[in-house]
Amino acid sequence: MSGIRLSSALREVRIVLCQYSAASAGAREFVSQHYVDLKTENPTTPILVRECSDVQPMLYARFAHGREKSSGIADLESSDILERLKTMDETSLQEAANSSVL
């Protein structure tokens, strides 16, 4: 499997999950399946995994100029979380392009 190359505007990825809840099962699977590939393709981008008891799983993406996006990932499968990360990154690039035009 090949990892995804994230844009240079993406400064940090944070995944918050619970170690044992069913709602975080997809997030745990995402970390075990995709973390190494993501880190290999994006060696300078911090990819943080935060485990907390009884927390709703969330995906956070921090971009240039302090902008941050978050998305709930409860009950999602690993592949859905990967798609959500890609979408967050692509949307941020489009927003940055639109704001530079103004």
Side-chain angles (χ1 to χ4, degrees):
M1 167 191 288
S2 65
I4 63 165
R5 182 78 182 128
L6 301 170
S7 73
S8 60
L10 185 56
R11 303 288 197 235
E12 177 184 278
V13 175
R14 278 189 326 274
I15 302 162
V16 178
L17 57 88
C18 178
Q19 303 95 321
Y20 56 85
S21 76
S24 290
R28 291 190 300 271
E29 182 181 341
F30 173 82
V31 170
S32 67
Q33 288 182 350
H34 299 289
Y35 179 85
V36 172
D37 290 333
L38 278 169
K39 204 56 195 162
T40 300
E41 290 292 323
N42 307 282
T44 61
T45 303
I47 301 172
L48 311 172
V49 178
R50 300 290 183 239
E51 296 178 330
C52 306
S53 295
D54 300 320
V55 69
Q56 287 297 312
M58 294 289 291
L59 175 65
Y60 295 93
R62 188 172 52 84
F63 298 92
H65 308 295
R67 291 183 309 117
E68 187 167 291
K69 291 186 175 192
S70 63
S71 179
I73 54 173
D75 300 315
L76 292 182
E77 293 183 16
S78 176
S79 59
D80 297 330
I81 296 170
L82 182 62
E83 285 305 313
R84 185 140 319 165
L85 176 59
K86 288 179 185 178
T87 301
M88 290 169 84
D89 191 25
E90 291 166 0
T91 302
S92 177
L93 284 175
Q94 292 169 354
E95 290 172 357
N98 290 340
S99 67
S100 67
V101 171
L102 298 176

